[in-house]
């Protein structure tokens, strides 16, 4: 009985201490609350700006032109090619301090990744202020043009296949009923092979 009373006393004491400790937390001052709320609003605004920026990148005519080129790029690379709009992650971390965001129109083919366009977004005006073609993309275009020039030369070297001659089919005249009957009688004649088997 005494053990039960001491155990209940210890449990009650533990609850009292934990509730007392929670009440002793330092209360935030008005300034700290304002700073916390401002930081939260900055994060929300940054996320909103990034979402608007990505939508505007996807709506660019440069993005549409590159999307049209995907089929030929897939044939040349002989693997799936993906086009995407990406916001620079370093700019996102420091976005609350900066007035602009930087993004890229990026083309991925297997392990190869090329930034085709560098795009700058003004956070105050809420619009894209510059679109620049990257040097990487210019080099890739030159290589693709060189490959296209090389292909016709290679195509001439192999021997050309002779054109197929089409043979005109002779028209078969329709048979009369009398001719059909004659054909049936031909079927009734024994073949030479059967005669040899019988002997």
């Amino acid at each position: 009985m005494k053990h039960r009373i001491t155990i209940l006393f210890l449990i009650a004491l533990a609850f009292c201490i934990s509730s007392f400790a929670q009440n002793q937390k330092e209360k935030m001052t008005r300034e700290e609350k304002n700073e916390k709320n401002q930081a939260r609003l900055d994060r929300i605004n940054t996320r909103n700006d990034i979402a608007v920026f990505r939508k505007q990148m996807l709506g660019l005519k440069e993005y549409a032109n590159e999307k049209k080129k995907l089929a030929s790029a897939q044939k040349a690379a002989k693997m799936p090619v993906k086009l995407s709009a990406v916001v620079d992650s370093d700019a996102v971390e420091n976005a609350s301090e900066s007035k602009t965001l930087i993004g890229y129109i990026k083309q991925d083919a297997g392990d190869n990744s090329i930034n085709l366009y560098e795009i700058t977004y003004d956070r105050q005006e809420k619009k894209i202020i510059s679109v620049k073609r990257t040097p990487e993309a210019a080099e890739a275009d030159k290589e693709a043009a060189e490959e296209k020039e090389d292909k016709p030369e290679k195509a001439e070297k192999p021997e050309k296949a002779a054109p197929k001659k089409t043979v005109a089919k002779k028209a078969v005249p329709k048979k009369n009923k009398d001719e059909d009957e004659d054909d049936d009688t031909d079927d009734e004649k024994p073949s030479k092979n059967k005669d040899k088997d019988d002997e």
Side-chain angles (χ1 to χ4, degrees):
M1 183 79 167
K2 289 183 180 180
H3 293 297
R4 288 184 183 173
I5 294 173
T6 43
I7 291 173
L8 288 174
F9 178 71
L10 290 174
I11 292 172
L13 185 64
F15 280 120
C16 292
I17 291 172
S18 64
S19 64
F20 181 72
Q22 288 176 355
N23 289 336
Q24 293 300 319
K25 271 187 179 178
E26 292 182 28
K27 292 188 177 181
M28 293 196 325
T29 64
R30 181 62 122 185
E31 293 171 357
E32 291 171 340
K33 285 183 180 179
N34 287 342
E35 287 176 10
K36 187 176 180 180
N37 286 336
Q38 187 60 39
R40 188 174 133 270
L41 288 174
D42 287 343
R43 286 193 306 271
I44 291 170
N45 288 336
T46 301
R47 275 190 256 140
N48 290 340
D49 286 344
I50 291 169
V52 169
F53 183 29
R54 288 196 74 229
K55 282 183 182 178
Q56 288 183 7
M57 278 196 290
L58 295 174
L60 288 172
K61 65 180 179 181
E62 288 84 357
Y63 184 85
N65 291 339
E66 292 299 327
K67 200 163 189 168
K68 289 177 185 175
K69 296 177 187 177
L70 277 182
S72 62
Q74 285 180 351
K75 287 179 184 176
K78 297 178 182 173
M79 64 179 66
V81 178
K82 182 180 168 188
L83 191 68
S84 59
V86 180
V87 178
D88 188 11
S89 60
D90 294 336
V92 172
E93 292 172 4
N94 303 323
S96 60
E97 301 165 5
S98 68
K99 295 179 182 179
T100 60
L101 291 174
I102 297 174
Y104 300 97
I105 294 177
K106 184 173 143 182
Q107 180 179 352
D108 298 320
D111 293 338
N112 296 337
S113 181
I114 299 172
N115 291 332
L116 301 173
Y117 291 94
E118 182 177 309
I119 303 164
T120 308
Y121 175 80
D122 189 343
R123 294 183 68 196
Q124 293 175 342
E125 295 180 18
K126 305 282 186 201
K127 66 178 184 176
I128 293 174
I129 55 176
S130 74
V131 178
K132 297 177 187 174
R133 184 96 168 145
T134 61
E136 290 178 277
E139 289 177 22
D141 288 343
K142 286 179 185 177
E143 289 174 7
E146 289 174 1
E147 287 178 12
K148 284 182 181 178
E149 290 175 2
D150 292 341
K151 283 184 181 179
E153 294 172 6
K154 291 178 183 176
E156 292 175 2
K157 289 180 182 178
E159 295 179 14
K160 293 182 180 178
K164 294 182 180 178
K165 295 181 181 178
T166 55
V167 179
K169 294 183 180 179
K170 295 181 182 178
V172 178
K174 293 185 179 181
K175 298 179 180 179
N176 295 337
K177 290 181 182 178
D178 296 335
E179 290 176 0
D180 284 341
E181 290 173 5
D182 291 340
D183 289 341
D184 291 340
T185 56
D186 291 341
D187 291 338
E188 295 172 1
K189 292 179 183 177
S191 66
K192 293 179 183 178
N193 294 335
K194 286 184 182 178
D195 292 338
K196 289 180 183 176
D197 291 339
D198 292 340
E199 292 176 358

